[in-house]
Structures are given as C-alpha cells and as structure tokens.
Amino acid sequence: MGKPMKKKITWLFLLLIWIPAYPQAVNPDILESQLKNATTQPERMHLLKELAFELKSNDTEKALTYARESLYLANKLNDEHGIAEAHHTIGLINRYKGEYDDALDHFLKAMEIRKTINDEVGLARSYNNIGQISDLQGNLEDALNYYRKSLELRTRNRDSVGMVYSYISIGEVYEKQEDYETALSSYADALILAKKVSDEKGQTFAHTRMGNLFWKMEMYGNARSHYQDALDISTKLNSKYDISLSNIGLARIFIQEQNFEKALPLLEEGLRLAKETRALDNIRDAYQGLSEISYLKKDFKQAFYYQELYTEMKDSLFNQNKSESISAIQARHELEKKEHEIEELKRNQDISRLRNFAFLGISAGFFLLVVLIVILYRYRIQTHTNLLLSTQKQEIETKNHELEMSNRELEDFAHAVSHDLKQPLRTIGSYTGLIQKRYGHELGEEGKEYIEFIRGGVTRLHSLLSDLLVYSNVGETEAFDQQVKMDDLMRSVLVNLDQQIRDTGAMIFIGQMPGITGNYSALLQLFQNLISNSMKFQAEGNKPNVNVTHRLFKDFNRFEVKDNGIGIPPEYQEKIFKAFHRLHTQEEYPGSGIGLAICQKVVQLHGGEISVCSTPNKGSSFFVDLPLTYTHES
C-alpha cells in the first residue's frame, strides 16, 4: 500500500474519533443580548471577546471597541488567559483592517503570555498568525515552519477547527511557491475536515482558496463551482468580507467568458461590501475587474477611470506592505532579542551553579577541586566554541537574508518595470482609440493610417513586454524535482493551442511520452512555444503537419518536434535561440523574437541542450535532450 493511501486511511481514522474542538459561530444579536444580561465581570469579559471575534470582518470599528473593553476587564481581573485572548482578537481585527504592524504587535504579546501559562491551543493560533506575517514579508520557509508548528500543536490537542486553518495556511505557501499539486492537496484536506466538523467559516475559506488556485490553473469550471459554494455559505453566514471575495471571484470567471451582464453586478456588489469592511485587497481587485469590463466593451474613458483607481489602490497597498514588512522585521528582532536574553540568563544561572559547586568542592579535598577546575575549563572552551559557531552561523544567515532581499528586489523591479511601461502603453492605446472614435471623420486617409500605425506599435510593444517578463521569470521557482508525466503535459499543450490548431488546420501527432523530472510549468511553456512556432512558420497555403516524438538513450531523453514549415538557413540555426533575433519582418510572421530564447533557458535550467536541424522550404526538427534523472512510462 502506497504512502498516500496510508496517509488517507490514518486521516479518515482520526476524523472518526475526533470531536470538534470549536463551537459554531454565534449570532452577534444573541451575544449582545447575553451581554446586557451579564451579571459578573468574567462573563462580560468573555462575551465582549466573542462579540469582537464575530464582528471582526463585518464591523471592524465596533469589534475593536468590544475587544479593547475585554482587554481592560482581563487586566483588571488579572486573568492571563483572558489578556492573551483579547490581544489575539485585536490582532485579528487589525489584520482585517490591513494594519499588519499593529496586528503583529498584539499577536506577539498573546504568544508570550500563552507560553508562560502553557496554553498550547492558544499558542498554536499565535504561531499560525505570526506565520502569516512571515508570509507577508516574503519569508515563505519561515512561514511554513510556523504553520507546521501550529499544525503539530493542534493535532496533539485534537483542535479540529484549528487544523482546518493550518492546512489552508500551508496550502497558501505551496501555492506561492507554485507547487500547485501540493497546495491543492492541502486545501482539499482542509475542506474535508471543515465539512466533517461542520465548520462553515472554514468551508468558505477553503472553497475560496481552491477557486483562486483553479483560476490560476485555468480550470475555470472548477473555479466557478468553488466560488459559488463559497458565496452560498458566506451569504448564509452574512459574512460581508467573504461575500465580497466570492462575488469578485465569480465575476472574473464571467469576464473570461465575456458575460458582462453577470459579471458587472457581482463586481459592483463586491466593491460595495469591500468598502464597508475596508478590505483593501478586494477593493483593488474589484477596480481591476471593472476596468477590464469597460475596456472590453470599448468604453475607454470609463476603463481609464477604473484603471487609475486600481493603480492608486495597488500602489497604496504596495507602500503599506513595504512599511509593514519593516515593522514586522523590527518586531521579530525584538522577540529574538528577548529570547536571547532568556538564554543568556539561563547560561549565567548554569555558571552560577558551577561556581557554587566548586566552592563546596574545596572543602571536599584537593583532588575534587582539580576535577572541577578541569570540568570548568572544558565548559568554557565548549562555550567559546559554541559562541564562535553561533556567530559564524549568524553571519551566514545574514548573508543569505541579504541575498534573498536582493533577489526579491530584482524581482520587484522586473514587475515594476513591466507595470510602469505597460500603463503608459494602455493610456496611449486608450486615447488613440478615443481620437479615432471622436475625430475619425475629420482625419484623412493618411491620418487614419497613422492612427493604425500607433495602435499596431502599442500592441507589439505590449506583447514584447509580456514576453520579456516571461523570459525573466523562467527559473524563479526551485521546484525542478517534480515528476512530470509528459503525456498529460502534451494534452495540456494541445488544449492551450486549440484555437491556433483550428485556425491553421494543423495536423498534430504526439507519440508515446515518458515521465521525467523537472518543472511542469516551464516544460509546458517549452513545448507550447515549439509546437506553436511549427504551425506559425509555414508557407502561404501550406497546411501544418507537426510530429512530436520521444526516444530513450542511455544517458538522456530526446524529444523531437518536427514540422513541414519554411525551414531555417544553416547560417542562422545557432542564432535563432538568442533573444530578439528574428529572421523575418513583423508583417511576414508576427512575434517578439523571444520564444526560442525562453525555450533555451528552460532546457538549460533542466541541465539539458536544445538544437535544430533544418532544410529551407522542407521543414525543421527541434531536438530537446534532457538528463535521465527519472523515467517512468506513462
């Protein structure tokens, strides 16, 4: 029996014996009625905290007032558990408001108290939320470690509902690392457990995350189903934040289908609720969707208006997250400083014990004194050695962190350049369209021709920037150890190229494919580019015929993409893999000249080689040789 099957059986067994650790959400009206009738301060403190928790996403200001009053009563009662719960709830409210630095401050205070009183259930919640701050900083490995520590405590304490959110948090890290298969598995575990313990809030969260992931994977039918399930449950719970999120997700599906009549009211309702709950991310996404609809409907003025709002909101969030990341780093530094002081105190206590022992040993005789001196000497040597090792480790970690920050800055720069260059292009395109629409009757034939030249240039430059971004992003992920079934990958390629195949009338033959080790997304891009080029570079009137085959050699796999196209002259067969190197004009064969450069980069990152054998007017054969690190016949 395989490991996955054993894991599922164990998982199902645990589900059968565990009892839900959390009660279901309570109607705030009921809690407020109970609050009015509360007769003791402890009862009032608890009800205030529960009310704040229930209102944290729908009415953040009211929730904050209740949570602060709960904290006041907890301090007055000297109730350590109540103080920790109040700090944690205030942190959650600040997180929903987008004030992550304040949220982290309260999460850390709650964590320190929970460690002192040995509250493992609460400590697991603290780890999970501090992990979210690490996620915000871009420290995905740190975030994953915190989430796993949280899951371990929740598993040990049979905190079923808490486990739902740990699985979702872990899935989010894998999704950001583009390990979609592991992310989907983690979200599915969360959904199964949430249904088992009747946690409707957790079900909403899991459905939304799965909807977003399927959207990224371009599996729109699955995405629609999960967004709809999330909307149904969040409507039942009257959770404005989740309703807003689900509406915007469903609207994206309808925009993709160009069903604007259904998309528009969903976006408008999502925007209204996002503003009510001050959900800045949802506001930004709603503006983006409204701009896209206006643009597709050729209402360029309205599109430009929403695009400006989207850009302002995106820049505001970027600056806020940057500031909050700095605050998070400072807060984490303070936490590490406190932990270091505790370790130093323990070490001083150890040294003090050794001195007392040495003092008592003097009265026991000279021999015992000598022994103690030797022990103390060895202890000091070991302490010094440990200190040196710790210093070296810290220096290495500092250098690694600086390198990660540098790489992240370069990545942010690439995205920023793409955004900053594309925005003026959109503006030029929008206003060129407005000029043509409003003043086209006053322009002569020459003026209209100039307008078309401008719009054509904008389109080509926009495409070039997009291809440049793809080229720069190839290889960013480290997930090059996935076991990829090439049969499945080739089927995905044909689905993606379906329209081009129909337009050209191409005949595509895919031979039997193996399984290999590599990065699924990068390999998909590689073969999609090669097959697309084979269909594109054809003589006029010629119907494309493309054959993709595989041969297994002693040390490597060889994939061949053979076509009946126009071919490549011998003197250009090495130059075509360089970026921007084109053999034909834009009018003859459109493109940016980066496609084969992307192919070569993907192959090199897999430790392989790419080459071409071609005869002009008789077709070309592209050979992709990849190392034989893993083989598995599909």
Side-chain angles (χ1 to χ4, degrees):
M1 183 182 295
K3 289 183 178 180
M5 181 61 71
K6 289 181 179 179
K7 178 183 176 183
K8 292 297 181 184
I9 291 176
T10 304
W11 177 225
L12 290 172
F13 175 73
L14 291 174
L15 285 178
L16 290 173
I17 65 172
W18 286 8
I19 300 172
Y22 285 55
Q24 281 299 295
V26 181
N27 189 309
D29 293 336
I30 297 175
L31 289 172
E32 288 185 337
S33 175
Q34 293 175 350
L35 182 63
K36 291 178 181 178
N37 299 322
T39 57
T40 65
Q41 288 188 336
E43 182 183 6
R44 183 174 179 81
M45 176 195 71
H46 174 73
L47 288 170
L48 285 166
K49 191 271 295 182
E50 289 297 315
L51 261 171
F53 183 83
E54 293 302 327
L55 295 172
K56 65 183 181 298
S57 62
N58 287 347
D59 192 340
T60 53
E61 295 304 322
K62 192 173 184 180
L64 200 55
T65 300
Y66 284 137
R68 285 170 176 165
E69 188 176 350
S70 176
L71 179 60
Y72 169 77
L73 288 176
N75 279 310
K76 186 177 179 180
L77 295 167
N78 198 26
D79 184 340
E80 293 292 318
H81 182 271
I83 295 171
E85 287 292 307
H87 276 302
H88 188 91
T89 304
I90 293 173
L92 290 174
I93 297 167
N94 285 325
R95 189 185 67 191
Y96 273 94
K97 292 174 65 178
E99 298 172 357
Y100 298 110
D101 49 346
D102 290 337
L104 178 63
D105 181 55
H106 287 283
F107 288 149
L108 291 174
K109 288 178 181 177
M111 184 188 73
E112 290 175 3
I113 296 171
R114 286 162 170 169
K115 282 184 177 180
T116 303
I117 63 177
N118 197 28
D119 176 13
E120 288 195 344
V121 173
L123 188 58
R125 296 168 64 202
S126 294
Y127 283 147
N128 196 75
N129 286 283
I130 293 172
Q132 290 177 347
I133 302 301
S134 296
D135 195 341
L136 169 69
Q137 293 175 251
N139 296 329
L140 298 183
E141 289 301 324
D142 285 352
L144 194 58
N145 288 334
Y146 274 116
Y147 292 150
R148 285 172 173 165
K149 288 168 68 175
S150 175
L151 180 60
E152 181 181 352
L153 288 177
R154 285 168 167 172
T155 303
R156 187 162 68 213
N157 289 279
R158 299 186 177 184
D159 180 2
S160 305
V161 173
M163 289 174 63
V164 171
Y165 296 94
S166 289
Y167 279 122
I168 290 172
S169 297
I170 290 170
E172 288 175 339
V173 173
Y174 282 119
E175 182 177 342
K176 290 181 179 178
Q177 293 175 335
E178 297 186 352
D179 185 351
Y180 293 157
E181 183 177 352
T182 306
L184 190 59
S185 176
S186 191
Y187 292 151
D189 286 342
L191 184 57
I192 292 171
L193 183 55
K195 289 181 177 179
K196 180 67 179 179
V197 299
S198 301
D199 175 21
E200 293 183 317
K201 187 72 175 177
Q203 292 176 47
T204 302
F205 200 8
H207 278 306
T208 302
R209 296 309 309 161
M210 293 179 80
N212 291 342
L213 182 56
F214 279 122
W215 167 263
K216 287 183 180 179
M217 297 169 69
E218 298 183 353
M219 299 174 68
Y220 302 120
N222 290 342
R224 185 208 304 268
S225 175
H226 284 286
Y227 283 139
Q228 187 62 56
D229 287 343
L231 180 59
D232 293 341
I233 300 173
S234 58
T235 301
K236 176 184 174 183
L237 298 175
N238 193 29
S239 175
K240 295 180 181 179
Y241 175 88
D242 294 321
I243 294 171
S244 170
L245 198 61
S246 302
N247 276 338
I248 294 170
L250 276 173
R252 288 195 302 182
I253 302 295
F254 289 124
I255 292 173
Q256 191 269 336
E257 297 173 349
Q258 296 198 358
N259 189 340
F260 305 138
E261 291 183 1
K262 289 188 177 181
L264 191 57
L266 288 171
L267 282 174
E268 291 173 344
E269 177 67 5
L271 179 60
R272 183 184 69 80
L273 293 174
K275 288 180 176 179
E276 283 187 19
T277 57
R278 297 183 61 190
L280 303 185
D281 287 346
N282 290 358
I283 295 173
R284 176 201 60 199
D285 294 341
Y287 282 145
Q288 184 182 30
L290 290 168
S291 175
E292 188 174 353
I293 287 177
S294 299
Y295 182 81
L296 292 172
K297 294 173 70 175
K298 301 190 183 304
D299 186 350
F300 298 116
K301 184 177 181 180
Q302 193 73 357
F304 181 74
Y305 168 72
Y306 282 124
Q307 184 65 30
E308 287 291 307
L309 292 175
Y310 164 73
T311 302
E312 290 176 8
M313 184 60 66
K314 184 177 181 181
D315 292 343
S316 174
L317 282 170
F318 175 80
N319 293 331
Q320 175 181 305
N321 290 341
K322 185 176 181 181
S323 172
E324 288 156 357
S325 294
I326 293 172
S327 300
I329 292 170
Q330 291 172 342
R332 188 172 177 188
H333 173 72
E334 289 298 321
L335 177 62
E336 291 175 349
K337 183 179 178 182
K338 289 180 181 178
E339 291 179 345
H340 178 72
E341 289 173 353
I342 293 172
E343 292 177 359
E344 186 69 25
L345 179 61
K346 288 181 179 178
R347 185 160 60 247
N348 289 337
Q349 290 174 344
D350 290 340
I351 294 173
S352 177
R353 291 192 188 98
L354 284 174
R355 286 175 178 170
N356 292 335
F357 185 75
F359 176 77
L360 293 173
I362 291 174
S363 62
F366 177 77
F367 177 75
L368 185 58
L369 177 62
V370 172
V371 172
L372 289 175
I373 291 173
V374 171
I375 292 173
L376 183 59
Y377 175 76
R378 293 185 65 183
Y379 173 79
R380 288 178 174 174
I381 291 294
Q382 185 64 45
T383 301
H384 181 67
T385 302
N386 290 341
L387 183 60
L388 288 175
L389 291 174
S390 176
T391 302
Q392 292 174 353
K393 180 181 178 182
Q394 184 64 38
E395 290 175 353
I396 292 171
E397 289 177 349
T398 300
K399 294 295 183 184
N400 287 339
H401 179 69
E402 291 174 352
L403 181 60
E404 290 173 1
M405 291 294 292
S406 176
N407 288 338
R408 195 152 53 245
E409 288 172 359
L410 287 173
E411 179 182 352
D412 290 342
F413 176 75
H415 285 278
V417 168
S418 173
H419 174 269
D420 291 345
L421 289 179
K422 284 183 177 180
Q423 181 59 35
L425 282 178
R426 292 190 189 100
T427 303
I428 293 170
S430 297
Y431 277 100
T432 302
L434 288 174
I435 291 171
Q436 187 179 36
K437 183 178 180 181
R438 293 184 180 180
Y439 308 109
H441 62 281
E442 299 179 13
L443 299 173
E445 290 301 320
E446 188 176 18
K448 292 179 180 179
E449 186 177 4
Y450 291 161
I451 290 291
E452 289 302 319
F453 285 156
I454 294 172
R455 298 185 70 176
V458 167
T459 301
R460 288 194 293 273
L461 188 52
H462 189 280
S463 175
L464 177 61
L465 287 173
S466 298
D467 288 346
L468 269 175
L469 190 59
V470 171
Y471 181 76
S472 64
N473 285 341
V474 171
E476 283 189 356
T477 176
E478 297 180 359
F480 276 76
D481 57 353
Q482 303 168 355
Q483 293 185 4
V484 181
K485 291 186 177 182
M486 294 301 294
D487 276 336
D488 295 341
L489 183 141
M490 290 298 178
R491 280 191 286 271
S492 296
V493 169
L494 294 181
V495 171
N496 294 345
L497 296 177
D498 181 67
Q499 190 60 51
Q500 187 180 2
I501 294 172
R502 293 173 181 271
D503 292 343
T504 60
M507 298 293 293
I508 311 292
F509 170 78
I510 306 291
Q512 186 174 3
M513 294 287 118
I516 65 172
T517 297
N519 179 271
Y520 182 92
S521 298
L523 290 170
L524 182 71
Q525 183 75 49
L526 164 66
F527 286 99
Q528 188 168 305
N529 283 2
L530 291 176
I531 295 174
S532 177
N533 279 354
S534 293
M535 291 189 286
K536 179 167 66 173
F537 292 101
Q538 294 283 336
E540 185 175 356
N542 193 38
K543 183 176 291 187
N545 192 328
V546 185
N547 289 272
V548 184
T549 56
H550 165 262
R551 287 184 63 192
L552 179 62
F553 288 85
K554 182 179 180 181
D555 298 320
F556 63 92
N557 286 291
R558 167 165 287 181
F559 298 90
E560 180 182 358
V561 180
K562 184 177 182 180
D563 63 52
N564 61 337
I566 60 175
I568 305 166
E571 63 269 23
Y572 294 110
Q573 290 180 11
E574 292 185 4
K575 298 179 181 179
I576 59 172
F577 295 104
K578 296 180 180 179
F580 307 113
H581 194 92
R582 297 177 53 85
L583 306 185
H584 308 279
T585 66
Q586 184 73 28
E587 289 72 19
E588 291 176 315
Y589 296 99
S592 61
I594 302 178
L596 288 177
I598 293 173
C599 292
Q600 185 179 58
K601 190 172 182 181
V602 170
V603 174
Q604 289 175 346
L605 287 170
H606 283 80
E609 295 180 357
I610 185 170
S611 59
V612 64
C613 179
S614 179
T615 303
N617 302 319
K618 291 188 178 181
S620 304
S621 288
F622 284 84
F623 299 100
V624 176
D625 296 338
L626 300 178
L628 197 63
T629 53
Y630 165 75
T631 56
H632 169 74
E633 292 300 324
S634 300

